[in-house]
Every structure is written in C-alpha cells, then in structure tokens.
Amino acid sequence: MPISRISAAFEKAESHNRAAFVAYMMCGDPDLDTSFEAMKALADNGADVIELGAPFTDPMADGPAIQKAALRSLANGTKLADVLSTAKRFRETNQDTPIIIMGYANPIHKMGYAEFARAASEAGVDGVITVDLPPEEDEELRLGLAEVDLAVIRLATPTTTDDRMKIVADGSSGFVYYVSVAGITGSGTGAQTDIQAGVDRAKNASGLPVAVGFGVKTPEQAAEFSRLANGVVVGSAIVEEVRLAIEAGAPEDAPKRMGALVKSLAGAIATGRS
Amino acid sequence: MDTRNTWDKWPDENGRFGEFGGRYVAETLMPLIHDLEKEYNAAKADPEFETLYRGLMQDYVGRPSAMYFAERLTEHFDGAKIYFKRDELNHTGSHKVNNCLGQVLLALRMGKTRIIAETGAGQHGVATATICARFGLPCTVFMGATDVERQKPNVFRMKLLGAEIVPVSSGTGTLKDAMNEALRDWVTNVHDTFYVIGTAAGPHPYPQLVRDFQSVIGREAKAQILEREGRLPDAVMACIGGGSNAIGLFHPFLEDEGVRLIGVEAEGSGIETGEHAAALNGGEPGILHGNRTYLLQDDDGQIIDAHSISAGLDYPGIGPEHSFLKDTGRAQYLTCTDKEALEAFQLCTKLEGIIPALEPAHAIARVGDVAKELGKDGLIIMNLCGRGDKDVFSVAEHLGIDIA
C-alpha cells in the first residue's frame, strides 16, 4: 500500500498533465497540533505529497530557514515518535496523500532502523528520505523499510556521475529526489538545461518518477520546474510562513498562511505545462 | 598471534574501523569524497608528493620536533620517567600544521583553488591560514561566534594571514556548529573548494588521511625514545577532542601491544553534571559529521552541546578510530576536569618553563597518575601538542586576574 500510494499520487498528477506537488513542512514547528492542522491545510490546498520534516540539531544540508524551523521544533520538545504520531493523526483523516518522513540519520539510528521502520509503517507513513544516508550507508534502513513496503527515496544531485546514478537508482523506490543545484535547501537554483539533463539521467537510470527541489520559492519557479520533472518540491518557502506567523504574534495562523502559499504554488503547477 | 594485520588493516574498503567510521554525507559530496580517496592513494604512492611534503615538514614546520625529558615534573610526581614530545614547537604552535600541510598539498594536486576549514580554539584555523598564505590560496575559516569571542588572538592571527573568518552563530556557536557551516559551504562550492578537516573525524577518507599525516608524531617519538632509552615506553598519552594528535601518537605503537595507549578526554565540570566533552566516557555511538562514532546525544538522538574550558576539546564527537580502539580495549580513555586542567597548566609552566595549551594540560593532569602507577622503572611519552600563548587571557580570567 505505502509505495503504491506514492505511485498513485504521481500517476494522478500525470493524468492531468501536470507535475505532482511535493510540499515540505517541519513537524513540531511551532507545535504538534499546529503541524497536524498544517498537514491538512497542505493536502486541502493542492499538495499531492507531504514531506514531513523530522527535526535534528545539526541539519548539515539545510539552509537557515529549515535550520531555524528544526530548532523551534526541538525547543518545543519534539521527538521522532511525535513526528510519527502526528503522521498517524493525519493518516486517520486522509487515506490518499502520501507522507514522506524527511530527516537525518542519527535520531533514526538511535531509535533503531528496524524499530523505526515498523513504527513508521504503523503510523501510515509511505516513504523516508534520510539526507546523510547515501546508498553506501543505507542498507540497514533500506532492508527495514522493505520489510514493511515503505519507499526509500534517495537524492540525486548535479555532482552524481552516470556511474553513481546507477548506484542511486538501484534500491530507490517511490520516486527519486533530484537536487537542482549543489548547495543547501533554500538556496538558488541551477540553470534549467542542466536540471533537465540531470532529471532525465535520474529518470532513465531508475525508471521512477523524479521530483526536483532545492531553491523553488515562487509560483513562477514552480511552474518552470513543473515542465522539467514529474514532481516539484517546495520546502523553505512553506516553512518561512511559520516564522512569519510567529513573528506576527499569531502562530495559530501558520496553517492558514501555509495553505494559501500552497494553493498559489499548486495553481501555478497545475497550469505550468500548458 | 601476529597482530600486525589486525591493527594495520583499518579502515576497510568501506572506510570503517570495525563498526565505526563510514561515509555519512549528502549525495552532493559523495562523488567528491570518492575522488579524494582515489587522489590520496595516488599521492601516497607518488615519491614526488612525499619529497615535497617531507621537505616542507623539515624546513617550514621545523620537524622532527624535540623529545624532552621533563625532569622536574618527573621528580614532582615521583614515579615513571616522563618525556614530552614537543609538537608545540612546530611552526604555528601546535600539531595541527602536520595535517594542514598534507591536505593543502592534496588540494593543489586535485586542482582545487579555494580552501575552507573549521576551527575551535583557532589552532587548526591558524595552521590552515598559514599554509594557504604560503601557497597563495584563498582561505575561509568557519568559527563559532562563542569561540571568536574567547580566542581573539587567533582570530587576529588568521586575519593577518589573509584568511576570511566567518563567525557562526547557529546552534551554540562552537566547533560543531562551525563544522556544520563548513559542510554547508563545501556542498555549495564543491566544484572548486577543498575542505581541510582539522581532526581525525568526518567522512572517510578524512579520519585515515588525518591520522596518516599526524602519524609523524608517533614515528618520530618511537625512534627518539629507542635512541634515548633503548626501549619502548610503557605508555603513550595525549589529550583527545576529535583525537588527531592522539591518533598520530598512538598509531605507530598500535602493534606494540606492550605499550599502553592512553587518551584523556575533557570532563568539563564533571561527567555527572552533564557539562562535559567526554564522548567516549559519557556518550553513545551515533552518526554526525560524516561518521559513525561515540557522540554526546540525548535519548532521541539529538546532539548535546559539549562543555570544556578548552575550545579545542569542546566537541560532542570523537574520531571513529578512537571509538574502535576503545571498544576493542586496545586504548584506554581517561578524563580530566576543567579545574584539574587549570592546575596542570600552572604546574607545567612553573616546573618546566613550558606554557602548555589548555588541551594538553588535560593530559598532563593524568600523566601524574599513570607515572605513580607505573613506578620509577616506568617510561611515559606524552604529546605536548600545543603551546599555551593563545590561552593566557582565558586562564587569567578563570583565575580571576585582570590583565587587560
């Protein structure tokens, strides 16, 4: 069920001749109840897939927006088990939108790879992205997730050579996340021709849908990227809405603000290819 | 049993020392660390690289460093004979330069045109900035904002050497945050940038190549003690933050099972207080900064900030080979509190006329215990890995003396 839920989301988008919209948010930022509401807001406003960020103290691949979101979440006491229980709460209200947990290795390593896979499966999670577990190091997690039919979503990047693309593809499931530019989340984007070439390489090697992310902030960029790949990922811009809500003294408005941004991005993606 | 192959074979082809080490980095960096490994192996087999490195180590760094019989400290502790390996006499004032020189030569070989580094106390930053000045390479040093404040002389030194200093205020503004930020820079500028990691940690092949470049300490020490005393020491000792000076001293003695290897971790206010930097004695295995190793972490796998009077030991992790040596029992890891380190700092200064850095002051504190345990027939080599000029301001502050 979990991997097929991801495939179904990409197929549905493709059947409407549009890219799937993958929306990222940090779980527990500013608190778990608000995150649960935010997940619903994302799904209701056009997100096809939700990437639920699991906070880590030392997010080496993230820019300032997601770093700060992680620290806000941790300051509020969020644990990995809380991320899974928030996913579960959402799954009880929504059977269609795939949930991907995105985070770093150590909290998962601490829980135990097999234990995490079992708990994620019970929570209705569909796939996992672990930024600092490259193919060479993800075997234990991969085997654990395979037991419960959860997808292992790997990153491919502009530095991934053709030979490595095969290594990345072999063992990937669900989709491949193509990082548009060598850099951290929320930074600039690469040249479109380069991105197209990278996406095609990832697609040919894996036979899976490819979603492209890092640096997509505006509806215009989202529309452009939707022409290059099967999916478009937006993260930092959505997470920034939480910060803006907090700074405006109304953190409870975060889901509404995130929903409004997601709606405009989804609209741009819906017509991006026409 | 011939243990020769047992200790020398690590890391394996996956960059592991037993179950520690590995390559836990984002995909963007994976092709580069594979390239680095290939280039390092080629450099090791290249006599020209060796000649260049050795020549500069002799004429620019000032090696071999002296082996000094610390006579008055030996008398004071009234036990084993204590020798200092004088790596604080190196150019730039610590062992760090041994590794920086090697890595910058590798960077040049790989055609990289920009160098980045992280630094805690500033010793690695100064050493990197120095080698970059020597080769005319632009250098950016990431340093925690807290450390920029407490290590002002080194910050100015790096600026004089032409380096750009980036204060890092994310997290607690110490070494681990500087390392996060250096990794972020590297991932962004991977095409032209070489990351000179200062300690024997990070993704493979860094723990190996830092160890190899630092092993000059142990090789020299072994030859020097054989010449002076006609026998191997009973124990070799060093302080441990990430563990580069210790692994450099230990590695050439690994096969000599009669030589005890003793590392000393920073215990800060005491392990029981939670305010310490003793990853091996007070942490658990986990994954951070590219390797699986002992880490200070909470029940949910979040990293806990380290605490130490010494900025150079203020790190929540440890090089993976030390984790391996601990678990196999080949090396032993003791601890030393801030207070004990301050006392040892003053003791060494008064008795030997050598102002040690606060980092090796931790080792000096435990040398006394081991010397007593071994008795008068015993023989100890301790690596005096850095000089204390950089620490005089903070030591004055801790002693409540105003010298500003």
Side-chain angles (χ1 to χ4, degrees):
Chain A
M1 175 65 183
I3 293 183
S4 58
R5 186 147 45 206
I6 298 171
S7 316
F10 278 91
E11 279 160 20
K12 185 183 144 205
E14 215 53 60
S15 75
H16 292 95
N17 190 29
R18 63 174 177 85
F21 178 17
V22 182
Y24 173 95
M25 55 174 277
M26 176 61 70
C27 191
D29 175 29
D31 58 60
L32 296 172
D33 284 341
T34 309
S35 286
F36 168 63
E37 295 300 328
M39 288 182 84
K40 289 195 291 182
L42 263 47
D44 290 346
N45 285 286
D48 298 296
V49 177
I50 295 177
E51 278 181 13
L52 190 60
F56 183 50
T57 39
D58 294 83
M60 282 105 59
D62 284 302
I66 293 178
Q67 285 173 44
K68 285 180 182 145
L71 292 179
R72 289 193 297 265
S73 174
L74 290 172
N76 194 40
T78 307
K79 310 261 189 245
L80 185 55
D82 298 325
V83 176
L84 296 179
S85 61
T86 305
K88 188 173 186 181
R89 245 178 113 184
F90 173 76
R91 179 58 72 228
E92 281 159 6
T93 69
N94 178 317
Q95 297 300 313
D96 303 321
T97 309
I99 306 170
I100 314 294
I101 300 290
M102 184 163 184
Y104 290 80
N106 201 47
I108 296 174
H109 176 270
K110 189 76 174 68
M111 183 181 275
Y113 292 121
E115 168 64 17
F116 168 76
R118 194 190 56 71
S121 168
E122 269 179 23
V125 167
D126 304 286
V128 177
I129 304 175
T130 326
V131 181
D132 51 351
L133 284 183
E136 284 86 341
E137 303 291 355
D138 73 0
E139 187 179 2
E140 225 180 311
L141 177 64
R142 197 169 71 235
L143 295 177
L145 293 176
E147 285 278 310
V148 288
D149 192 36
L150 259 67
V152 176
I153 293 142
R154 286 180 175 159
L155 304 176
T157 74
T159 60
T160 309
T161 57
D162 288 342
D163 283 344
R164 267 199 77 75
M165 199 61 95
K166 288 182 204 134
I167 297 172
V168 170
D170 182 20
S172 282
S173 46
F175 66 95
V176 174
Y177 187 140
Y178 186 75
V179 174
S180 75
V181 63
I184 51 177
T185 55
S187 51
T189 63
Q192 280 204 34
T193 48
D194 297 343
I195 296 170
Q196 184 70 73
V199 167
D200 291 345
R201 287 195 300 130
K203 209 183 292 188
N204 292 337
S206 66
L208 293 171
V210 175
V212 61
F214 275 44
V216 186
K217 291 188 175 106
T218 64
E220 293 71 29
Q221 287 171 318
E224 274 172 33
F225 274 54
S226 75
R227 293 190 278 274
L228 308 176
N230 307 99
V232 177
V233 190
V234 180
S236 298
I238 296 173
V239 162
E240 277 293 87
E241 291 297 327
V242 181
R243 180 180 65 82
L244 293 170
I246 293 168
E247 283 175 6
E252 67 280 7
D253 285 351
K256 201 166 71 190
R257 299 179 74 124
M258 293 156 90
L261 174 65
V262 163
K263 190 170 193 172
S264 74
L265 292 163
I269 290 170
T271 56
R273 291 188 187 163
S274 50
Chain B
M1 187 178 80
D2 180 9
T3 53
R4 222 150 267 273
N5 290 321
T6 313
W7 298 113
D8 251 3
K9 71 179 181 188
W10 307 102
D12 64 17
E13 70 278 9
N14 298 316
R16 296 206 167 242
F17 303 87
E19 56 183 55
F20 299 102
R23 305 178 181 96
Y24 295 87
V25 292
E27 172 60 25
T28 313
L29 295 176
M30 285 303 287
L32 190 81
I33 63 171
H34 282 295
D35 277 356
L36 175 58
E37 185 181 347
K38 221 180 295 166
E39 201 60 48
Y40 175 55
N41 288 331
K44 269 199 297 193
D46 179 357
E48 268 183 49
F49 184 86
E50 179 69 14
T51 305
L52 184 60
Y53 178 67
R54 278 191 184 234
L56 285 162
M57 285 286 266
Q58 177 184 305
D59 302 337
Y60 190 67
V61 175
R63 297 210 77 99
S65 69
M67 172 71 83
Y68 166 72
F69 174 41
E71 194 174 354
R72 297 194 66 209
L73 211 56
T74 299
E75 276 169 23
H76 176 83
F77 289 129
D78 196 28
K81 268 178 115 169
I82 299 162
Y83 278 87
F84 283 163
K85 179 64 177 158
R86 301 285 306 274
D87 254 57
E88 99 281 12
L89 294 178
N90 292 335
H91 182 38
T92 75
S94 79
H95 70 290
K96 292 291 185 188
V97 69
N98 303 331
N99 165 53
C100 293
L101 176 61
Q103 287 200 43
V104 169
L105 291 179
L106 267 181
L108 289 167
R109 203 184 150 94
M110 292 175 79
K112 300 293 181 186
T113 55
R114 174 175 175 264
I115 301 292
I116 58 170
E118 85 294 340
T119 198
Q123 293 303 92
H124 175 60
V126 167
T128 307
T130 299
I131 302 298
C132 286
R134 167 63 183 76
F135 287 98
L137 285 167
C139 174
T140 301
V141 178
F142 294 88
M143 189 168 185
T146 309
D147 291 337
V148 168
E149 240 349 90
R150 61 177 169 175
Q151 301 288 339
K152 280 180 189 157
N154 272 344
V155 171
F156 184 58
R157 220 166 269 154
M158 287 184 275
K159 285 182 180 163
L160 283 174
L161 290 159
E164 181 200 353
I165 313 300
V166 180
V168 178
S169 50
S170 61
T172 45
T174 59
L175 183 53
K176 122 185 136 69
D177 308 294
M179 198 150 178
N180 288 336
E181 212 53 38
L183 284 163
R184 290 180 187 121
D185 180 292
W186 195 25
V187 92
T188 307
N189 299 295
V190 67
H191 59 288
D192 68 352
T193 296
F194 189 100
Y195 180 14
V196 176
I197 295 183
T199 194
H204 179 67
Y206 281 99
Q208 180 189 4
L209 68 89
V210 174
R211 174 196 77 194
D212 291 351
F213 288 131
Q214 293 295 1
S215 289
V216 65
I217 300 170
R219 281 196 308 273
E220 285 177 8
K222 200 170 180 176
Q224 287 166 322
I225 202 75
L226 285 173
E227 198 189 316
R228 295 285 282 276
E229 295 283 344
R231 72 169 181 103
L232 291 174
D234 298 296
V236 296
M237 299 183 65
C239 63
I240 303 231
S244 71
N245 98 82
I247 203 70
L249 176 65
F250 292 178
H251 197 258
F253 290 100
L254 276 179
E255 292 155 13
D256 305 305
E257 301 257 346
V259 179
R260 282 169 66 184
L261 313 176
I262 304 173
V264 182
E265 292 194 291
E267 208 189 323
S269 314
I271 287 187
E272 70 287 355
T273 65
E275 309 256 296
H276 63 88
L280 290 169
N281 283 285
E284 285 176 85
I287 296 162
L288 180 71
H289 293 155
N291 58 144
R292 183 175 187 278
T293 192
Y294 277 83
L295 296 174
L296 302 181
Q297 56 181 317
D298 69 13
D299 292 343
D300 206 45
Q302 303 296 342
I303 306 305
I304 296 174
D305 291 317
H307 292 272
S308 170
I309 189 172
S310 142
L313 304 180
D314 209 346
Y315 181 66
I318 179 81
E321 194 163 7
H322 286 296
S323 293
F324 174 65
L325 294 177
K326 173 195 155 75
D327 277 13
T328 55
R330 178 64 189 94
Q332 178 189 2
Y333 295 91
L334 307 175
T335 61
C336 165
T337 62
D338 287 350
K339 190 166 162 284
E340 291 174 308
L342 266 176
E343 285 163 11
F345 175 96
Q346 296 170 84
L347 183 71
C348 180
T349 303
K350 279 185 186 144
L351 289 183
E352 296 292 349
I354 297 172
I355 303 178
L358 279 170
E359 290 80 11
H362 285 72
I364 295 168
R366 289 290 84 82
V367 159
D369 302 343
V370 176
K372 282 174 197 151
E373 187 195 322
L374 289 173
K376 299 230 179 198
D377 296 335
L379 190 56
I380 299 172
I381 300 173
M382 192 206 91
N383 191 28
L384 195 64
C385 63
R387 54 179 173 247
D389 310 40
K390 69 179 175 61
D391 293 317
V392 293
F393 293 98
S394 60
V395 168
E397 200 182 313
H398 285 288
L399 297 177
I401 297 161
D402 185 10
I403 57 171

